[in-house]
Each structure stands twice: as C-alpha cells, then as structure tokens.
C-alpha cells in the first residue's frame, strides 16, 4: 500500500515589498509556497524561493507584465486542485468575478488575499483561505501568514499571526515626515 506523507504548503499574501524574516522560521520544511498577490518587489519571491518552490499571482499593486506572474492560476498539489487569485472578496462579499472563477475552476482550495483579513471558511466543497497580510501593518488588522497541511483525505488550514512590528533589517526604513511635507516616495524611503 502506498502511504502518502503529509504535504505542507506555506501561504502568504499582501507582502507589499516586505519580506519578514520570521516567515523563514514558520515556513521551514514546507514543500511549496503560494503567494496570493500584492507581492510588491521581486526580492520577496526570491527570498521565498530559498525556502521552497513558489507559485505566485500578481495583485492589484503588481504590474502583471512586469511581475511575470498571472492574475490567477490553478495548480495541483497532493491530489488537490488549488486555485490562487488575489481578489476574491471585497467589502466582505464574494465578488462576481471571484464567484465566476470558482464556478469555472471548481477547486478544492482557493487561496486569496487583498482584504488583509485572515479567513478560512468552506463554500460548498471548496476551502477559501486568506492568510491575511504579511506586509507592513495597516489599519488595525493583524499581520499573518498561513499553512495548509494536506494529509490523506484531510486539509488542515492554520493561520499564523506575525508580530505587528516586522524585523526590517532586510528592508528599507520608512522615514516619517511631518504632515505638511507630504508622503515620502518609494525612492526617498530607501
């Protein structure tokens, strides 16, 4: 009898150019990593690729052509169809395009981002999984990533909360300017 071992998948989204070194610890030993868009900078994917193979989609802050990633994709891992799309929900509701994507692809799991709000819920036979945002803290939302463990017939989703203050030693330092000076551009923050 062929005993298939458990497959562990790291799930990340909305990094917005920030690679938090804590991700290495949480994703240690994963078989694959899924990035559900709003990558921000190619260096994020390059650092994830040092951990495990990566499948990524572009998000609304990524330029599809420049990033080299599609806006949506479907892969098969451990015998499961896994769909990845950045925007599935907006304003707390499944969007029309998201519903059409799910109806067309009929995945076992759909990984998404965009809302920065962690979510794990079933829609019929499909697990909808949003790890939250692994990028800079925004609003009052927690920062987070996720793990999917596929074990025989079970899919075990786990949300992992990251510290609100990412260790930025591998990233630029944001300089706070007085309100009357306006916002710093990306180049000024480096």
């Amino acid at each position: 009898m062929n005993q298939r071992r458990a497959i562990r998948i790291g799930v990340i989204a909305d990094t917005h150019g920030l690679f938090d070194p804590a991700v290495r610890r949480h994703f240690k030993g994963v078989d694959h990593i899924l990035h559900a868009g709003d990558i921000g900078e190619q260096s994020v994917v390059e650092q994830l690729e040092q951990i495990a193979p990566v499948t990524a989609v572009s998000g609304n802050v990524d330029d599809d052509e420049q990033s080299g990633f599609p806006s949506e994709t479907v892969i098969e891992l451990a015998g499961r169809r896994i769909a990845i799309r950045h925007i599935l929900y907006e304003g707390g509701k499944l969007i029309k395009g998201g519903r059409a994507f799910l109806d067309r692809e009929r995945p076992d799991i759909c990984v998404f981002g965009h809302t920065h709000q962690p979510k794990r819920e079933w829609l019929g036979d499909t697990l909808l999984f949003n790890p939250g945002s692994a990028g800079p803290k925004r609003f009052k939302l927690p920062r987070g990533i996720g793990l999917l463990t596929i074990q025989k017939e079970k899919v075990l989703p786990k949300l992992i909360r990251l510290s609100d203050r990412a260790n930025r030693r591998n990233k630029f330092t944001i300089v706070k300017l007085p309100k009357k000076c306006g916002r710093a551009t990306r180049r000024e923050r480096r």
Side-chain angles (χ1 to χ4, degrees):
M1 183 182 265
N2 183 8
Q3 289 286 342
R4 191 171 25 170
R5 70 176 183 86
I7 301 293
R8 293 180 62 238
I9 303 166
V11 183
I12 191 167
D14 296 287
T15 49
H16 293 271
L18 173 67
F19 181 82
D20 185 337
V23 170
R24 279 192 190 90
R25 182 179 75 243
H26 292 294
F27 284 0
K28 185 177 181 179
V30 299
D31 299 286
H32 204 92
I33 297 171
L34 307 177
H35 195 308
D38 277 2
I39 300 162
E41 292 185 21
Q42 184 64 30
S43 64
V44 171
V45 173
E46 291 165 0
Q47 291 186 68
L48 291 171
E49 287 173 333
Q50 292 174 12
I51 302 167
V54 176
T55 301
V57 296
S58 61
N60 56 294
V61 303
D62 304 312
D63 178 335
D64 292 0
E65 285 183 28
Q66 234 177 7
S67 77
F69 298 110
S71 60
E72 57 188 40
T73 193
V74 178
I75 63 171
E76 187 167 317
L77 290 172
R80 299 296 200 294
R81 275 180 66 76
I82 303 173
I84 312 165
R85 177 185 168 107
H86 183 61
I87 302 175
L88 198 68
Y89 276 80
E90 239 173 7
K93 295 181 182 176
L94 183 62
I95 64 169
K96 187 177 179 181
R99 169 60 83 180
F101 175 67
L102 293 173
D103 289 345
R104 180 177 71 243
E105 298 299 341
R106 302 217 176 273
D108 298 303
I109 303 165
C110 184
V111 170
F112 66 102
H114 187 61
T115 64
H116 293 222
Q117 296 175 324
K119 184 182 209 63
R120 61 178 171 208
E121 75 176 30
W122 290 90
L123 179 64
D125 293 333
T126 302
L127 171 64
L128 303 180
F129 191 68
N130 183 335
S133 171
K137 181 156 176 73
R138 296 177 74 187
F139 317 111
K140 292 184 179 185
L141 299 171
R143 295 179 62 249
I145 56 176
L147 284 173
L148 292 170
T149 302
I150 301 174
Q151 215 172 21
K152 295 183 183 179
E153 298 302 314
K154 294 181 186 174
V155 176
L156 306 169
K158 180 180 180 183
L159 295 167
I160 300 167
R161 182 149 185 195
L162 297 174
S163 167
D164 286 348
R165 300 192 63 155
N167 177 344
R168 296 175 179 264
R169 68 178 162 218
N170 295 332
K171 188 64 184 139
F172 59 79
T173 302
I174 295 177
V175 177
K176 293 221 176 200
L177 297 175
K179 286 185 180 181
K180 65 181 179 183
C181 290
R183 278 196 158 160
T185 65
R186 179 180 279 186
R187 178 168 282 145
E188 291 169 331
R189 289 184 279 180
R190 290 184 184 212

